[in-house]
């Protein structure tokens, strides 16, 4: 069993992470909070390489929810990157952007979703959309690379134009390809 | 033993344009008792999120001073935030815990600090070099000065007496709290920029 079957990341040729980065820049997003996921590795590298981006690696995803409410209070636009299991860590903290009408776009790479190998990913993966929606979050999904830019763009617009938490779920079909250590 | 309302009043004296975030419950009542204003952001929920919310604000407003005032129970729920703050090293963020060694808001149950857990040692271990324990009123003046002058994140665990004070409630409408704070920080453009 190679590592990439356990922690999957996009095919080296897949450029949708770069398209996401372009969209973050186009929307003036300067603050990026994250707990790493293999599916986000390329996007995280792009953000870290950009001196105009403030990147904060969290100890748990719920910190990112509270942190980005603070960013908004200070006039900065941010995004939260995480994998599907991290959504479970965020549930109660989502009270803050709902109560305070704070824009909070999240980009979630899905596990436990499509051809999953790891049984521990299934319970939360299966619960991501209903739990987010139960906490007042608008959810949109992309399952093929061509849909990623439009979905991420829509979710960022919904957050900042209508003042609420929103989430783009990037289906596991997008990140399921084995890479044999290369990305 | 220090009284929490006296501590907060002393720390917020001549506060200038200091931005203040308060953790849910008694800490939010304390900053309100000291004088509600648009530069206050009292939390009604999100237990465990106060310090890292302060981090987001401090990173977005590096020219402003940010003070988080919260309870020991609230801080214990989000200890990882001390690591996250220590790594980002914001020069303009202070976190003050009003450590009464109890969950006062919920009936006065003991917290872990009652049993020896040392929040300042945890903060120091995370990498916040200026992490203090404050017992006496004479230490409040220097702490207040440090909040306005520090060039690295600061953490202070202030030991305060247990027990509840009269409720002094801030506004409850979250959208209002956000809008008034953003307008105070960003001006009228706060409501127009995208
Ligand atoms: C997630 C969550 N768990 C529990 C509570 C209930 N609760 C509200 S205030 C509080 C006590 C907070 O204790 P501390 O931060 O020490 O405040 P203080 O002693 O100053 O009241 C608790 C447990 C809550 N609001 N949210
Ligand atoms: Mg307490």
């Amino acid at each position: 069993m190679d590592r990439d079957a356990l922690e999957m990341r996009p095919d080296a040729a897949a450029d949708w992470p770069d398209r996401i980065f372009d969209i973050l820049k186009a929307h003036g997003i300067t603050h990026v909070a994250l707990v790493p996921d293999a599916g986000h590795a390329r996007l995280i590298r792009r953000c870290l390489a950009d001196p105009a981006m403030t990147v904060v690696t969290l100890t748990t995803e719920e910190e990112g929810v509270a942190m980005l409410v603070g960013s908004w209070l200070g006039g900065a636009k941010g995004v939260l990157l995480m994998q599907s299991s991290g959504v479970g860590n965020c549930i109660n903290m989502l009270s803050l952007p709902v109560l305070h009408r704070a824009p909070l776009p999240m980009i979630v790479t899905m596990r436990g979703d499509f051809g999953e190998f790891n049984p521990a990913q299934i319970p939360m993966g299966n619960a991501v959309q209903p739990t987010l929606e139960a906490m007042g979050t608008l959810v949109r999904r992309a399952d093929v690379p061509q849909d990623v830019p439009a979905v991420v763009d829509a979710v960022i617009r919904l957050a900042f134009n209508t003042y609420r938490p929103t989430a783009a779920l990037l289906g596991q079909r997008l990140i399921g390809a084995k890479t044999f250590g290369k990305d | 033993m220090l009284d929490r309302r006296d501590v907060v009043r002393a720390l917020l004296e001549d506060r200038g344009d200091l931005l203040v975030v308060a953790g849910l419950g008694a800490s939010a009542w304390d900053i309100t008792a000291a004088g509600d204003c648009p530069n206050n952001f009292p939390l009604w929920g999100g237990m465990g999120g106060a310090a890292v919310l302060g981090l987001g604000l401090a990173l977005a407003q590096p020219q402003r001073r940010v003070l988080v005032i919260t309870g020991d129970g609230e801080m214990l729920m989000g200890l990882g935030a001390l690591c996250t703050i220590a790594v980002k090293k914001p020069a303009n963020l202070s976190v003050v815990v009003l450590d009464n060694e109890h969950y006062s808001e919920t009936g006065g149950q003991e917290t872990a600090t009652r049993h020896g857990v040392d929040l300042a040692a945890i903060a120091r271990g995370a990498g916040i070099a200026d992490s203090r324990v404050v017992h006496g009123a004479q230490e409040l003046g220097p702490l207040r000065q440090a909040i306005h002058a520090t060039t690295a994140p600061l953490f202070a665990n202030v030991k305060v007496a247990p027990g509840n004070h009269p409720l002094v409630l801030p506004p409850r409408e979250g959208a209002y709290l956000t809008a008034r704070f953003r307008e105070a920080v960003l001006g009228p453009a706060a409501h127009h920029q995208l």
Side-chain angles (χ1 to χ4, degrees):
Chain A
M1 181 56 66
D2 64 84
R3 175 174 304 277
D4 291 310
L6 293 174
E7 290 299 326
M8 286 168 286
R9 58 183 104 184
D11 192 288
D15 74 343
W16 56 262
D18 295 330
R19 298 289 75 74
I20 296 177
F21 181 78
D22 295 341
I23 291 165
L24 299 185
K25 296 298 286 183
H27 282 286
I29 287 178
T30 53
H31 287 58
V32 180
L34 64 95
V35 173
D37 177 57
H40 274 320
R42 183 160 165 172
L43 175 58
I44 292 168
R45 249 196 336 269
R46 292 292 309 272
C47 293
L48 286 169
D50 183 342
M53 291 266 192
T54 298
V55 181
V56 179
T57 302
L58 313 158
T59 71
T60 169
E61 291 82 356
E62 68 184 299
E63 287 178 8
V65 177
M67 187 197 114
L68 292 177
V69 172
S71 310
W72 176 245
L73 290 175
K77 293 168 82 171
V79 68
L80 175 56
L81 309 181
M82 64 185 140
Q83 75 161 237
S84 46
S85 49
V87 169
N89 291 351
C90 294
I91 295 172
N92 180 58
M93 206 59 82
L94 285 168
S95 309
L96 293 183
V98 172
L99 169 66
H100 291 291
R101 299 299 311 272
L104 183 79
M106 298 172 258
I107 305 176
V108 180
T109 43
M110 290 302 297
R111 299 290 306 273
D113 175 46
F114 194 90
E116 178 61 57
F117 165 82
N118 180 348
Q121 289 285 358
I122 298 293
M124 192 61 229
N126 198 45
V128 161
Q129 186 153 354
T131 46
L132 283 172
E133 287 176 343
M135 287 306 296
T137 302
L138 297 182
V139 180
R140 302 292 179 263
R141 299 189 50 118
D143 285 293
V144 292
Q146 307 85 281
D147 283 349
V148 171
V151 167
V152 170
D153 184 67
V155 153
I156 292 171
R157 285 178 195 278
L158 282 167
F160 290 102
N161 289 340
T162 78
Y163 310 94
R164 68 189 74 241
T166 64
L169 309 188
L170 306 183
Q172 197 167 6
R173 282 183 91 170
L174 286 164
I175 58 173
K178 291 189 186 182
T179 64
F180 301 102
K182 299 189 285 289
D183 64 350
Chain B
M1 196 154 222
L2 287 168
D3 176 275
R4 58 188 301 152
R5 291 261 160 104
D6 294 342
V7 169
V8 171
R9 210 175 301 114
L11 294 181
L12 297 186
E13 204 177 286
D14 296 329
R15 61 186 273 182
D17 64 358
L18 182 70
L19 302 174
V20 178
V21 174
L24 82 173
S27 301
W29 322 154
D30 292 340
I31 67 161
T32 306
D36 185 44
C37 67
N39 283 344
N40 280 0
F41 197 74
L43 289 166
W44 285 92
M47 187 169 173
V52 74
L53 189 149
L55 173 66
L57 176 58
L59 292 174
Q61 284 290 324
Q63 307 309 324
R64 299 289 292 269
R65 299 252 160 210
V66 177
L67 170 63
V68 175
I69 298 178
T70 193
D72 48 318
E74 204 278 341
M75 191 70 248
L76 285 162
M77 195 170 281
L79 286 178
L82 296 174
C83 305
T84 306
I85 290 166
V87 170
K88 290 315 286 184
K89 296 187 174 41
N92 56 334
L93 177 63
S94 300
V95 177
V96 170
V97 173
L98 301 171
D99 181 9
N100 58 8
E101 303 185 352
H102 291 82
Y103 298 99
S104 72
E105 207 54 42
T106 49
Q109 303 87 351
E110 294 177 348
T111 63
T113 63
R114 178 88 183 136
H115 300 274
V117 169
D118 182 344
L119 289 170
I122 292 171
R124 201 173 306 111
I128 301 178
D130 188 349
S131 292
R132 322 169 171 204
V133 183
V134 170
H135 291 279
Q138 74 286 356
E139 295 163 89
L140 293 174
L143 174 57
R144 188 194 148 275
Q145 279 166 12
I147 288 165
H148 286 276
T150 183
T151 54
L154 183 157
F155 180 90
N157 193 55
V158 183
K159 290 290 185 182
V160 297
N164 292 319
H165 285 78
L167 290 177
V168 184
L169 300 181
R172 252 184 316 208
E173 169 54 77
Y176 170 70
L177 291 167
T178 303
R180 74 172 193 175
F181 189 96
R182 294 184 84 249
E183 189 170 316
V185 174
L186 305 166
H191 310 305
H192 299 285
Q193 69 177 26
L194 276 185

